[in-house]
Amino acid sequence: MKHTRTTPPSHVVFVVEGEGDSAHWTRIGAAWPHDDGEGFNLKLTCMPLDGRLVIRKRKPRDMEAGR
């Protein structure tokens, strides 16, 4: 899949701080799969200094909202 302005991302990128029920998730970007299925192109709106990056498949509600 080619990354274009009209192609919606397949995944959402979050930075997660903390663990378990007290973890705080902040959406910071999107991801598009490579054509060969071996990786992703990422577009981040910020670069976290702490926490961990988590990439999750987009949910239908994200797609409907145009996110």
Side-chain angles (χ1 to χ4, degrees), residues 9-26:
S10 61
H11 291 72
V12 180
V13 182
F14 297 91
V15 62
V16 181
E17 299 173 275
E19 297 292 331
D21 291 338
S22 64
H24 180 74
W25 292 59
T26 304

Side-chain angles (χ1 to χ4, degrees), residues 1 6 8 19 23 27-29 33-34 36 38-40 44 47 53 55-56 61 63 66-67:
M1 177 182 290
T6 59
E19 297 292 331
R27 182 178 175 163
I28 62 165
H34 288 174
D36 64 6
E38 295 292 323
F40 290 91
L44 302 177
M47 186 65 78
L53 292 177
I55 300 173
R56 304 278 300 179
R61 68 172 183 243
M63 292 180 194
R67 297 185 202 184

